[in-house]
Amino acid sequence: MSTILKGAPVVAAMNEANAARCAALREKGVVPTLAVVRVGAREDDLSYEKGVMARCAKVGVEVKQFLLPADAAQEELLRVMAGINADAAIHGCLLFRPLPKQFDDRTIRAALSPEKDIDGITDGSLAGVFTNTAVGYPPCTAQACLEILKFYNIPLSGRRAVVVGRSLVVGKPAAMMLDRENATVTLCNSRTQNLPEVCREADVVVVAMGRMGFIGAEHLRAGQVVVDVGIHVNEEGRLCGDVRFGEAEPVVDAITPVPGGVGTVTTSVLVSHVVEAAEKSV
Amino acid sequence: MSTILKGAPVVAAMNEANAARCAALREKGVVPTLAVVRVGAREDDLSYEKGVMARCAKVGVEVKQFLLPADAAQEELLRVMAGINADAAIHGCLLFRPLPKQFDDRTIRAALSPEKDIDGITDGSLAGVFTNTAVGYPPCTAQACLEILKFYNIPLSGRRAVVVGRSLVVGKPAAMMLDRENATVTLCNSRTQNLPEVCREADVVVVAMGRMGFIGAEHLRAGQVVVDVGIHVNEEGRLCGDVRFGEAEPVVDAITPVPGGVGTVTTSVLVSHVVEAAEKSV
């Protein structure tokens, strides 16, 4: 029987802290404000947006929506971004991606001021994660993994961490953030040989492959802590992760569930970045 | 008996390629040009500068020196950098660091255009290494490790690489560049437990600790390739690396010597970046 590292208590603690910081800012006349920029109306985006807006409302962050039609021109979006950069009353910007085909992702990302980049999409933010300096903000899902590990007091310094998956939104930044905590970090990719053996070397395994149920008992051993970033809908229509929870849970010391784990913490991280950006603006 | 991965043949091959590319550029009327910016006259800087200038002269890269007194003001250096950015006839800029105390390193680094940052010091270059995109240039010493491994056809894809040391000039960028080659990379730091055991897991060990003779037989096993980035002067006044060469050489399959290894390749990498920047300017 392992400990289930639920997201809910992490979220509750973060909400409480964010609400207190928002209140303090509002007393100084600063209303922490997030710009949400959405092109079109993809199902995924709408659902995430709804979650973000609810979380913001709960802690006292204002949201301004900037909605463009799916066939908007790049110039229009660049004008919106420039307006957001120039507006001192907006502290952070969430831009939904991937964008429709007519947009050049690189150009759009470069158009955002790193200090408003609360979702970690600019070169400034990514360089900040890589170099461990306070430029921009790390990608929220990567930070959510670390928030969970810290909330549950999982030791990291000197421990071995294995990160499976090397995306720029989770794997690589999570590896850098684990290194920052003085873990010895191994970054695995789809060419990694003997993945089960490599995973079993770890004290902490962060799984961010985007492959449903890929990691099971053969990759795991007693004493480990597993963070499952994957989120999929299985044949029975139920949410599940990259880890076969039923196999993993009896083996390891602690594991994040799906749903109710990393995913739930992500929006709280996003909101905390907006609050931090507002604090820096004072 | 292991193979000694000497830098000289790597340098010879790179010089030949760089010279041919310079000749092609000069035929088009483009003279590949490097700006060397030095504040004061530190022994280390002078010696590296001499090596860079000789290497440039050999392959046909022009060098413009910008020399400031050790007590120069930050404003003066920023003016020099702005001039270099604006000068279309200059393709790359090498700035000697660390700078004297009156300079803010971050401000100075941010003042350089990433496209002229042939030494990998800007956020743009570091984000480029981290995200594997063609922004700026990776730090030269990190790339020198990879150039040696590639020249000697050391397989990397699917292999395990351990990088010991996590500096921004070598360890971290080398880890990212090994990941780019699809190696499974482990990044070690001073808190790493059981370092000998971790090192022995690797097929390729890159040692960039800056600690003379720290790595010896206990960290190594047959079949490994060792890249030693360290450079120190021992009690007898001889150059040596982070690896105890005499112990390592009989054990492993292949190893870079110190001197005559990574260090010799670094300036060729720098020059190749200037040539590439000049090619991009056409």
Side-chain angles (χ1 to χ4, degrees):
Chain A
M1 278 299 278
S2 67
T3 306
I4 309 301
L5 305 174
K6 289 188 180 164
V10 189
V11 169
M14 292 183 79
N15 277 353
E16 199 179 329
N18 285 334
R21 290 161 72 188
C22 277
L25 281 163
R26 282 172 180 259
E27 270 186 26
K28 292 183 196 159
V30 176
V31 180
T33 301
L34 170 68
V36 170
V37 181
R38 173 163 49 80
V39 179
R42 293 191 341 153
E43 201 66 47
D44 287 6
D45 295 350
L46 291 170
S47 141
Y48 188 58
E49 184 176 336
K50 206 175 139 190
V52 168
M53 292 183 72
R55 192 63 50 90
C56 283
K58 188 156 185 159
V59 301
V61 168
E62 201 82 19
V63 177
K64 284 188 186 166
Q65 285 178 296
F66 296 83
L67 308 179
L68 284 86
D71 62 352
Q74 172 142 318
E75 288 310 308
E76 286 177 70
L77 181 53
L78 288 173
R79 263 197 303 278
V80 167
M81 307 293 284
I84 288 168
N85 288 341
D87 187 345
I90 293 176
H91 304 102
C93 173
L94 170 65
L95 166 69
F96 288 104
R97 292 159 61 233
L99 290 160
K101 300 241 153 126
Q102 71 271 28
F103 294 96
D104 177 52
D105 187 66
R106 194 160 175 78
T107 305
I108 300 295
R109 291 194 295 109
L112 181 61
S113 298
E115 60 269 24
K116 299 195 179 187
D117 178 26
I118 48 83
D119 199 26
I121 66 169
T122 61
D123 279 354
S125 286
L126 292 166
V129 171
F130 181 57
T131 63
N132 191 13
T133 45
V135 183
Y137 296 87
C140 295
T141 305
Q143 187 175 333
C145 299
L146 272 289
E147 295 289 346
I148 292 175
L149 293 168
K150 286 184 190 173
F151 180 87
Y152 288 104
N153 296 311
I154 310 297
L156 294 171
S157 179
R159 303 302 172 98
R160 295 199 68 171
V162 164
V163 177
V164 191
R166 52 175 164 172
S167 74
L168 282 177
V169 284
V170 193
K172 275 188 178 183
M176 289 299 117
M177 296 177 90
L178 288 161
D179 170 78
R180 190 180 292 189
E181 299 295 327
N182 300 314
T184 299
V185 185
T186 300
L187 186 58
C188 296
N189 59 65
S190 57
R191 314 284 179 88
T192 295
Q193 289 166 14
N194 307 319
L195 184 64
E197 196 184 309
V198 177
C199 287
R200 288 197 307 268
E201 289 167 4
D203 300 301
V204 174
V205 188
V206 175
V207 186
M209 308 172 77
R211 296 177 69 170
M212 181 166 70
F214 194 90
I215 299 291
E218 74 275 22
H219 300 81
L220 304 168
R221 61 163 174 80
Q224 290 184 311
V225 174
V226 178
V227 177
D228 186 356
V229 182
I231 188 146
H232 312 273
V233 181
N234 71 11
E235 291 132 23
E236 295 146 32
R238 292 174 60 185
L239 289 175
C240 59
D242 288 350
V243 180
R244 300 194 291 276
F245 188 85
E247 276 182 33
E249 190 269 341
V251 173
V252 301
D253 261 25
I255 181 167
T256 63
V258 179
V262 176
T264 59
V265 178
T266 301
T267 49
S268 291
V269 172
L270 187 92
V271 171
S272 74
H273 289 171
V274 179
V275 176
E276 193 179 327
E279 287 168 347
K280 284 184 182 166
S281 77
V282 177
Chain B
M1 279 298 281
S2 67
T3 305
I4 308 303
L5 305 174
K6 291 189 180 163
V10 188
V11 169
M14 292 182 79
N15 277 352
E16 198 179 328
N18 285 334
R21 290 161 72 188
C22 277
L25 281 164
R26 282 173 180 257
E27 269 186 26
K28 290 183 198 159
V30 177
V31 180
T33 302
L34 170 68
V36 170
V37 181
R38 172 162 51 79
V39 179
R42 292 189 343 153
E43 201 67 44
D44 287 6
D45 295 350
L46 290 172
S47 139
Y48 188 57
E49 185 177 335
K50 205 175 137 189
V52 168
M53 291 181 72
R55 192 63 50 91
C56 284
K58 188 157 185 160
V59 301
V61 168
E62 201 82 18
V63 177
K64 285 188 185 166
Q65 286 177 297
F66 295 83
L67 308 179
L68 285 85
D71 63 352
Q74 173 143 318
E75 288 311 308
E76 284 178 70
L77 181 52
L78 288 173
R79 262 198 303 278
V80 167
M81 308 292 286
I84 288 167
N85 288 340
D87 187 345
I90 293 177
H91 304 102
C93 174
L94 170 64
L95 166 70
F96 288 105
R97 290 159 64 234
L99 291 160
K101 300 240 153 132
Q102 71 270 29
F103 293 95
D104 177 51
D105 187 67
R106 193 159 177 79
T107 305
I108 300 295
R109 289 194 297 109
L112 181 62
S113 297
E115 61 268 25
K116 299 195 180 186
D117 178 24
I118 47 82
D119 200 26
I121 66 169
T122 61
D123 279 355
S125 285
L126 292 165
V129 171
F130 181 57
T131 63
N132 191 12
T133 45
V135 183
Y137 296 87
C140 296
T141 305
Q143 187 176 333
C145 299
L146 271 291
E147 294 290 345
I148 292 174
L149 292 169
K150 286 187 192 171
F151 180 85
Y152 288 104
N153 296 312
I154 310 296
L156 294 171
S157 178
R159 303 302 171 98
R160 295 199 67 172
V162 164
V163 177
V164 191
R166 52 174 165 174
S167 74
L168 282 178
V169 285
V170 192
K172 275 188 180 182
M176 289 300 117
M177 296 175 89
L178 288 161
D179 171 78
R180 187 181 295 190
E181 299 296 326
N182 300 312
T184 300
V185 185
T186 301
L187 187 58
C188 297
N189 59 65
S190 57
R191 314 284 179 88
T192 295
Q193 290 165 14
N194 307 320
L195 184 64
E197 197 183 307
V198 177
C199 287
R200 287 197 307 268
E201 289 167 4
D203 300 301
V204 173
V205 188
V206 174
V207 186
M209 310 172 76
R211 295 178 71 171
M212 183 166 69
F214 194 91
I215 299 292
E218 74 276 21
H219 300 82
L220 304 168
R221 61 163 174 80
Q224 290 184 310
V225 174
V226 177
V227 177
D228 186 355
V229 182
I231 187 145
H232 312 273
V233 180
N234 70 10
E235 292 132 21
E236 296 147 31
R238 290 173 61 185
L239 290 174
C240 60
D242 287 352
V243 180
R244 299 194 293 276
F245 188 85
E247 275 183 33
E249 191 269 340
V251 173
V252 300
D253 261 24
I255 181 168
T256 63
V258 178
V262 176
T264 59
V265 178
T266 300
T267 48
S268 291
V269 172
L270 187 92
V271 171
S272 75
H273 289 171
V274 180
V275 175
E276 193 179 326
E279 287 168 347
K280 283 184 183 164
S281 77
V282 178

